[in-house]
Amino acid sequence: MAEMNQITITVDGEQRAVGAETTGTELFVDQKTTVVMKVNGALQDLSRTIPDGADVVAVDITDPEGLEVLRHSTAHVLAQAVQELYPNAKLGIGPYITDGFYYDFDVEEPFTPENLKALEKKMLKIVNQTQHFRRREVTEAQAREELAHEPYKLQLLDKQHEADTTGEGASVEIGAGEITIYDNIDRHGETVWKDLCRGPHVPTTKLISNAFALTRAAGAYWLGNEKNKQLQRIYGTAWPTKQDLKAYQERVAEAERRDHRKLGAELDLFSFPDELGSGLPVFHPKGGIIRKEMEDYSRTRHEEAGYEFVYTPHITKQHLYEVSGHLDWYAEGMFPPMHVDEERDPDTGDVTRQGQNYYLKPMNCPMHNLIFASRGRSYRELPLRLFEFGSVYRYEKSGVVHGLTRVRGMTQDDAHIYCTREQMKDELSNTLKFVLDLLKDYGLDDFYLELSTKDPEKFVGSDEIWEEATRTLAEVATDSGLELVDDPGGAAFYGPKVSVQARDAIGRTWQMSTIQLDFNLPERFDLEYQAADGTRQRPVMIHRALFGSIERFLGVLTEHYAGAFPVWLAPEQVIAIPVAEAFNDYLDTIVQRLRERGIRVRLDDSTDRFPKKIRTASKQKVPFVLIAGGEDQEAGAVSFRYRDGSQDNGVPIDQAIERIVQAVETKEQV
């Protein structure tokens, strides 16, 4: 009889016989940091009964999925705290996000920093009550009755009803199919709060401990639609331990110190004048120097790699983007058209063309296709590598515009490679190696790759072509030896892509270069070349942006280096500071010699006192400060002061000059 009440399951890879009503709580009773379990690959609450034959895996609070559950549960504690302090608050949604969570609320007044402090205290009180999360499956009618006072939850139920009816549009918050409510149960077994949620959650609030913090509040449109009401969103973070929370807060503080918008102003690199509009930066002389150095070096490397430079206009007639498909698939990202009523012959005044729309270009690729198609092409010309620093314009929503890293007007280091199918794989491999090597020259060397595949709702071309393109890119990425991560549905409408993800000096990941393989645009533009056998063939097209955009790349480098650029990129490479005015002429002769060697150097002969000059040079993060006083002049030497405050005294002039020149020529990473 006992055997009839037994079932066989696999637990963390080992088969075990357990009771028929065993729950995850009982199964992992000795694993105090297990927060949820995976049952046949699906995350479930520990309180759920395990079915016969199931494959069960414990998920620790430190695992990525365990952290997500911890943060989602902390979001629910936040929502409970808000409704206890503000009983009239209406609930939106509260998902986990990278490193944290948020929850949206409809409240009468925006939340203030003082409100967040009060909410943290209330949350800690709830956490210390060791409340249990209890999952209940309910019918739609029951959910509507229990949550009749929550209008936004009712809207989510409407979306789920529509999803269950049509198979589309399921709510992120509650999924599709079954409807579940989570009750918060106190020590006396009473329900003290409830929420519509698909879960799962940690077993009790005890696992949340006090390793959480509320970080900020902001406005957010309901479900991200600006046509909906603006709610108040509270952001927070949660970690397994206080030590983890403190480490995260230190990382955030360091990121704030490195914020390129702050450093851009302090170092006089760039600005965002209100008169120009959101997302349209201007580069000041010092920022212009960095940008020019980046571009000049890139041009040199591209010439060595066999690229040819082209230039295309900023606007074009509407028809070009009808052919390319951008007006079908990318119109929301384009600025509205400019309408030209008619065009006239400049000599006769006769109307030569009726009115039509012109668009600012969001991409360079259609114009590069026109260059390829401008005359007959032979297989002997392939691969043909066209390169352009091309300015493009994208109508980013105001809420996502962010300094240099998300702008509306940008310059892409854009290349398009036309090759045969036989050349395709080698060309992709060579392109990826070229990209990685060049990024290393700019100081980024910690990479992994991401493979973005077809969006089933947003693509052109046949499934067979997409499969071939995706397979080829995956092989090239794998052969590189770098870690490869999947990005399902993340491809552009015309082809899959591999993107280089680079980690910066403090471990953050930035998407850098992208390489896209495209069989579709050559078809849409009817591109052809004459093959060796005399037949007309379609080229394969490879899209490649190395920096992504000059603006974004400069923003990333500014944060990577915390404004202390390597010598070759630094706007000012050397400042010469005399100990007293009497040594101005001595240092000036050294300054002139450095200028003759191409070094960006300046003599600070201002009336400021010596200590202030040193502080100013330090704030400007100048790589080399040359100092000279009486002993230096007598010895025919100078003293070096570096950015870390260290000094090297009495360096002979010739040796000092060569040290600086070599640091520039070798692109030394200081």
Side-chain angles (χ1 to χ4, degrees), residues 98-159:
T98 302
D99 289 338
F101 59 88
Y102 70 78
Y103 211 113
D104 292 339
F105 304 95
D106 188 354
V107 288
E108 294 179 0
E109 298 290 338
F111 293 108
T112 66
E114 290 72 25
N115 296 150
L116 299 191
K117 291 178 183 177
L119 285 167
E120 281 186 346
K121 291 181 180 179
K122 176 61 72 172
M123 290 174 68
L124 186 57
K125 184 176 180 180
I126 293 170
V127 165
N128 290 337
Q129 291 172 356
T130 314
Q131 295 182 7
H132 289 255
F133 289 91
R134 182 180 66 190
R135 177 181 183 273
R136 284 188 292 127
E137 292 185 21
V138 297
T139 65
E140 182 181 338
Q142 288 174 318
R144 289 185 181 279
E145 181 180 355
E146 291 191 42
L147 300 168
H149 58 293
E150 295 287 359
Y152 300 101
K153 299 298 183 180
L154 296 179
Q155 286 187 40
L156 294 177
L157 289 169
D158 291 339
K159 287 176 66 68

Side-chain angles (χ1 to χ4, degrees), residues 370-590:
L370 297 182
I371 294 173
F372 184 95
S374 64
R375 62 173 176 82
R377 301 286 178 180
S378 164
Y379 71 94
R380 294 185 179 89
E381 297 179 73
L382 306 183
L384 176 65
R385 307 181 185 100
L386 302 182
F387 176 83
E388 176 180 16
F389 279 115
S391 295
V392 298
Y393 305 88
R394 297 178 182 176
Y395 190 61
E396 301 282 7
K397 292 183 178 180
S398 59
V400 300
V401 171
H402 182 82
L404 292 180
T405 57
R406 196 71 177 264
V407 294
R408 286 176 168 172
M410 71 200 81
T411 301
Q412 289 187 318
D413 60 329
D414 218 358
H416 294 94
I417 302 168
Y418 302 87
C419 61
T420 68
R421 253 184 167 83
E422 293 73 27
Q423 296 167 333
M424 173 176 66
K425 189 171 181 180
D426 285 344
E427 196 65 21
L428 285 167
S429 297
N430 292 337
T431 300
L432 181 57
K433 183 179 185 304
F434 176 78
V435 161
L436 294 174
D437 287 346
L438 194 50
L439 287 175
K440 290 174 184 177
D441 289 341
Y442 290 96
L444 297 170
D445 57 9
D446 186 2
F447 308 116
Y448 68 92
L449 303 179
E450 189 172 79
L451 177 64
S452 299
T453 53
K454 181 177 68 178
D455 180 344
E457 304 297 326
K458 191 175 181 180
F459 72 97
V460 295
S462 68
D463 290 339
E464 292 76 18
I465 284 177
W466 273 86
E467 288 170 6
E468 180 183 355
T470 304
R471 183 176 63 254
T472 303
L473 274 177
E475 290 173 358
V476 168
T478 302
D479 291 346
S480 74
L482 294 174
E483 177 189 1
L484 181 62
V485 176
D486 288 331
D487 174 31
F493 66 88
Y494 46 79
K497 71 178 178 182
V498 163
S499 58
V500 177
Q501 309 287 327
R503 298 180 182 91
D504 68 9
I506 58 174
R508 297 172 301 178
T509 298
W510 301 87
Q511 178 177 302
M512 291 284 99
S513 312
T514 58
I515 302 172
Q516 296 169 288
L517 185 54
D518 182 5
F519 295 140
N520 289 302
L521 285 188
E523 185 76 29
R524 295 174 77 93
F525 280 85
D526 196 26
L527 302 184
E528 292 183 338
Y529 68 91
Q530 184 171 329
D533 61 2
T535 60
R536 307 299 296 177
Q537 302 289 337
R538 291 263 186 257
V540 175
M541 185 176 180
I542 299 171
H543 304 247
R544 192 237 64 192
L546 194 150
F547 296 147
S549 78
I550 295 293
E551 291 77 9
R552 185 172 184 276
F553 193 65
L554 179 52
V556 172
L557 286 187
T558 301
E559 299 199 6
H560 175 63
Y561 289 116
F565 293 97
V567 186
W568 72 282
L569 284 175
E572 287 186 312
Q573 296 165 326
V574 181
I575 289 183
I577 301 178
V579 172
E581 185 179 351
F583 306 106
N584 282 358
D585 291 343
Y586 174 70
L587 271 179
D588 190 51
T589 60
I590 302 172

Side-chain angles (χ1 to χ4, degrees), residues 25 48 55 70 157 317 344 431-432 502 505 525 660:
T25 303
R48 296 183 67 174
D55 184 5
L70 169 68
L157 289 169
K317 292 183 294 188
R344 293 179 178 273
T431 300
L432 181 57
F525 280 85
I660 293 167

Side-chain angles (χ1 to χ4, degrees), residues 589-600:
T589 60
I590 302 172
V591 166
Q592 296 308 319
R593 289 183 61 183
L594 285 168
R595 282 184 181 148
E596 290 170 2
R597 300 292 296 274
I599 302 301
R600 294 186 290 275

